[in-house]
């Protein structure tokens, strides 16, 4: 009589919360979604290329900008709704990514480093950022206004720098941040009111600029990336 023994499967090792977080932080950073203009362009690129008489980027881009500008609000709405949903999904994914230990902006920094390594003479990320900034200024694009914190810092920089001593920019930034947080709502209000007024003026100016600059919406994402981390 032969006895058959059934082998038991080895239990799978349990993952600790630390391991789970580590694996999640190694996951790819969520990609920024396209805005309404780029979604529309993606769906109409082939037709625009035929109308432009070829796939030359400059011709297609110019024609696309003119066509997008000519659309009425109703025609743009499906693309704007889709862009809004994609942005909401992106923000949720980014919250999970950061909560799991991920670093926002790390992928962009890695791309900039790789580009700099391939072309050291180009100035790396700083050179690329400056080039985009110069291009926006040359196009007459309105500059984003300062927030209430930066308005406060501008008026108090000399005194804060003197109080911080010889610690340099990091010491000034830390002291300014601490002082701003300690201000009461009444003390912050003049700066917040000024920032709100500047923002309203900017919104009007950027809307007028977009009307004169076909495809102007397409440049906003680059500007947002350039200004990440500049405001507190």
């Amino acid at each position: 009589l032969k006895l058959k023994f059934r082998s038991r499967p080895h239990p799978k090792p349990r993952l600790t919360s630390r391991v789970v977080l580590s694996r999640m932080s190694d996951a790819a950073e969520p990609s920024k979604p396209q805005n309404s203009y780029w979604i529309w362009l993606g769906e109409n690129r082939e037709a625009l290329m035929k109308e432009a008489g070829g796939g030359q980027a400059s011709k297609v881009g110019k024609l696309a900008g003119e066509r997008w500008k000519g659309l009425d609000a109703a025609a743009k709405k499906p693309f704007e709704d889709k862009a809004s949903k994609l942005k909401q999904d992106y923000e949720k994914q980014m919250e999970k990514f950061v909560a799991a230990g991920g670093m926002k902006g790390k992928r962009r920094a890695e791309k900039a480093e790789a580009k700099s390594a391939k072309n050291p003479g180009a100035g790396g990320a700083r050179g690329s950022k400056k080039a985009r900034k110069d291009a926006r200024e040359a196009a007459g694009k309105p500059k984003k206004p300062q927030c209430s914190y930066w308005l406060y810092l501008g008026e108090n920089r000399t005194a804060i720098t003197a109080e911080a001593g010889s610690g340099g920019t990091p010491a000034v930034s830390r002291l300014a941040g601490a002082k701003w947080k300690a201000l009461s709502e009444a003390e912050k209000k003049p700066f917040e009111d000024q920032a709100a007024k500047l923002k309203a003026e900017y919104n009007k100016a950027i809307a007028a600029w977009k009307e004169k600059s076909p495809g102007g919406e397409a440049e906003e994402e680059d500007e947002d990336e350039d200004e990440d981390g500049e405001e507190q």
Side-chain angles (χ1 to χ4, degrees), residues 29 42 101 114:
E29 178 182 350

Side-chain angles (χ1 to χ4, degrees), residues 30-50:
S31 299
K32 273 196 172 184
Q34 293 179 322
N35 63 21
S36 53
Y37 168 80
W38 284 106
I39 294 172
W40 171 83
L41 179 58
E43 293 187 12
N44 295 275
R45 188 183 298 275
E46 188 173 344
L48 290 165
M49 287 172 64
K50 289 180 180 179

Side-chain angles (χ1 to χ4, degrees), residues 15-208:
L15 297 177
T16 64
S17 58
R18 181 177 297 179
V19 173
V20 172
L21 287 175
S22 175
R23 291 187 178 181
M24 289 181 70
S25 64
D26 290 337
E29 178 182 350
S31 299
K32 273 196 172 184
Q34 293 179 322
N35 63 21
S36 53
Y37 168 80
W38 284 106
I39 294 172
W40 171 83
L41 179 58
E43 293 187 12
N44 295 275
R45 188 183 298 275
E46 188 173 344
L48 290 165
M49 287 172 64
K50 289 180 180 179
E51 188 176 348
Q56 189 174 350
S58 58
K59 289 183 179 180
V60 175
K62 183 177 179 181
L63 179 62
E66 292 172 353
R67 292 289 179 271
W68 175 256
K69 182 181 175 182
L71 296 180
D72 58 23
K76 287 182 178 181
K77 191 174 187 304
F79 304 101
E80 291 171 344
D81 290 344
K82 187 173 183 180
S84 178
K85 185 178 184 305
L86 289 173
K87 187 175 182 181
Q88 290 174 4
D89 292 342
Y90 163 78
E91 289 172 349
K92 290 178 182 177
Q93 292 172 14
M94 182 58 75
E95 285 180 7
K96 292 181 180 178
F97 175 74
V98 173
M103 184 184 299
K104 185 177 180 181
K106 181 180 178 182
R107 182 178 54 196
R108 188 168 66 248
E110 289 175 345
K111 284 184 179 180
E113 288 178 6
K115 186 176 180 180
S116 177
K118 288 183 180 180
N119 188 10
R126 287 182 180 272
S128 177
K129 180 177 176 179
K130 186 178 185 301
R132 289 196 298 269
K133 183 179 179 181
D134 290 344
R136 287 195 297 268
E137 290 178 354
K141 185 172 184 179
K143 186 178 179 180
K144 282 194 173 183
Q146 292 181 321
C147 67
S148 53
Y149 167 79
W150 285 105
L151 293 171
Y152 158 80
L153 180 57
E155 289 190 13
N156 296 275
R157 186 183 297 275
T158 301
I160 293 173
T161 301
E163 186 177 345
S166 58
T169 302
V172 173
S173 298
R174 284 194 298 270
L175 182 58
K179 284 182 171 293
W180 173 254
K181 289 179 181 178
L183 293 181
S184 65
E185 293 299 321
E187 290 172 318
K188 287 182 179 180
K189 192 174 187 304
F191 302 103
E192 291 171 344
D193 289 346
Q194 187 181 355
K197 182 181 178 182
L198 292 173
K199 182 70 181 293
E201 292 173 354
Y202 166 79
N203 287 340
K204 290 180 182 178
I206 197 68

